[in-house]
Amino acid sequence: MAPRFPNLNWHGLLQRLAAAAPWTWAPERRRLAARSGLRRAGIALAALLAIWLVLWLAVPPLLKSQAQQRLGTLLGRTVTIGVVQFAPWSLELTLRDVTIAGAAAGATPLLQVQRLYANADWRSLFRLAPVIAALEIDAPRVSLARTAPGRYDIDDIVARLEPSPQAQAEPAPPARFALYNLLVRDGALAFDDRPVGRRHEVDALLLSLPFVSTLPSQAEITVQPRLAFRFDGTAFDTGAQATPFAKDRETSMTLKMGDFDLAIARPYLPRDLPVQLQRGRAQADLSLHFELREGSTPSVSLRGKVSVSDLAL
């Protein structure tokens, strides 16, 4: 068979390739090449550090001003952020002293958050969807009020956030995201029910959610959330184990309730009941299991005990 390139000097080409190999260079040339490579690596590293420095300095004030302005316009309330910290090398963002003002000037703020920490994951670039490695919310304080039957002091915000009729008619697909290690610590909610003259408090709130995702590759993962709090002085503790995004859905939930004062519910019971609640205490320790297999009917089972004491009607 005739050579494909008859005029090519293969011997000379191999000699030139061998001469171009770094291990055949003279010592001085190897030193110059090493210095050149180190110089390029140093320039690249300096450029990367410069970009990180610019982001570290520029992102916090820019994000603070834009977040306050855009959220304030969206909600119709004054939004303030005390401190913004951003680490571009690890994609960690921290907000401190976040406040959303109340409905009237001088009113108790609707929301106060001592610290909000988010750690984004570089996998967001490959997934083309947000992947949050950790989200922590410390000491959130929410203050709500019912001003009249069917009226609340956040009605203006609800009206602003209500989707347009066109958006309601065209349902969007579920958002694609993955969230790890959601933790809410020391939360509190104050609810002022002015028509009945009662005020209710939720405090010591703890919410832990190890993982939740709508990404297809994470659909079969089991999550084990926990929610604990005190409601008007009574301790509640709940836990669960679920696969919320799998084809075969299965959920187990537990509820433990301490000594709850039933008299709290008295103002909300219909007045035309044949009997009126005077007093009572209740305790509960329940377990609920829900199962929905593809192609079969759902099943629900409830186990545990509920006890009532000192009941007077």
Side-chain angles (χ1 to χ4, degrees):
M1 180 181 296
R4 190 173 180 182
F5 301 101
N7 298 324
L8 185 60
N9 185 352
W10 290 98
H11 181 70
L13 177 60
L14 292 175
Q15 285 183 332
R16 286 195 293 273
L17 289 175
W23 57 82
T24 64
W25 294 351
E28 183 62 26
R29 186 179 179 187
R30 288 201 297 269
R31 284 194 293 271
L32 291 175
R35 291 173 186 165
S36 178
L38 290 174
R39 188 180 302 112
R40 292 193 185 95
I43 292 174
L45 180 59
L48 179 61
L49 292 176
I51 293 173
W52 280 350
L53 180 62
V54 171
L55 292 175
W56 181 60
L57 294 174
V59 168
L62 180 63
L63 179 61
K64 179 179 178 178
S65 63
Q66 289 298 310
Q68 292 180 154
Q69 177 183 350
R70 293 178 182 273
L71 287 175
T73 302
L74 176 66
L75 302 176
R77 304 281 184 93
T78 301
V79 177
T80 59
I81 302 175
V83 177
V84 177
Q85 298 171 320
F86 178 63
W89 45 87
S90 57
L91 298 182
E92 293 175 285
L93 176 67
T94 302
L95 307 181
R96 298 184 184 277
D97 300 326
V98 180
T99 302
I100 299 177
T108 303
L110 169 65
L111 173 66
Q112 294 175 297
V113 178
Q114 187 180 91
R115 172 180 172 268
L116 190 152
Y117 166 82
N119 183 8
D121 197 301
W122 288 103
R123 284 176 293 177
S124 303
L125 302 177
F126 307 106
R127 295 268 189 176
L128 300 179
V131 178
I132 308 300
L135 179 61
E136 299 177 3
I137 305 174
D138 290 341
R141 300 284 187 269
V142 179
S143 296
L144 297 176
R146 186 165 75 113
T147 56
R151 304 286 297 178
Y152 298 87
D153 63 349
I154 58 170
D155 287 343
D156 57 322
I157 297 179
V158 174
R160 284 174 170 270
L161 299 180
E162 187 176 3
S164 63
Q166 182 179 1
Q168 293 178 340
E170 301 176 359
R176 300 177 68 252
F177 72 96
L179 172 62
Y180 299 80
N181 303 314
L182 170 63
L183 182 61
V184 179
R185 288 178 292 225
D186 193 26
L189 167 66
F191 181 67
D192 185 7
D193 197 346
R194 296 170 186 170
V196 299
R198 297 294 298 268
R199 182 178 177 86
H200 303 288
E201 300 275 352
V202 173
D203 62 346
L205 185 144
L206 172 67
L207 173 62
S208 174
L209 187 59
F211 180 81
V212 62
S213 172
T214 59
L215 300 182
S217 61
Q218 307 290 354
E220 302 295 334
I221 287 183
T222 300
V223 295
Q224 296 179 333
R226 184 190 173 209
L227 174 63
F229 57 90
R230 282 197 307 261
F231 175 65
D232 286 349
T234 301
F236 289 77
D237 197 344
T238 66
Q241 179 174 322
T243 52
F245 305 106
K247 292 182 179 179
D248 295 331
R249 301 182 182 180
E250 187 174 357
T251 301
S252 297
M253 301 179 62
T254 61
L255 168 63
K256 294 182 179 181
M257 181 181 71
D259 194 26
F260 182 67
D261 185 5
L262 295 177
I264 294 175
R266 187 166 48 197
Y268 306 101
L269 297 176
R271 296 187 177 182
D272 56 354
L273 287 177
V275 294
Q276 295 294 323
L277 175 65
Q278 300 300 321
R279 67 179 184 273
R281 318 290 297 187
Q283 303 85 30
D285 188 352
L286 300 173
S287 176
L288 174 69
H289 183 79
F290 171 81
E291 186 174 324
L292 177 59
R293 301 288 180 183
E294 190 173 12
S296 64
T297 58
S299 65
V300 180
S301 63
L302 178 64
R303 299 178 181 179
K305 63 178 181 179
V306 177
S307 61
V308 177
S309 60
D310 192 29
L311 182 63
L313 300 176

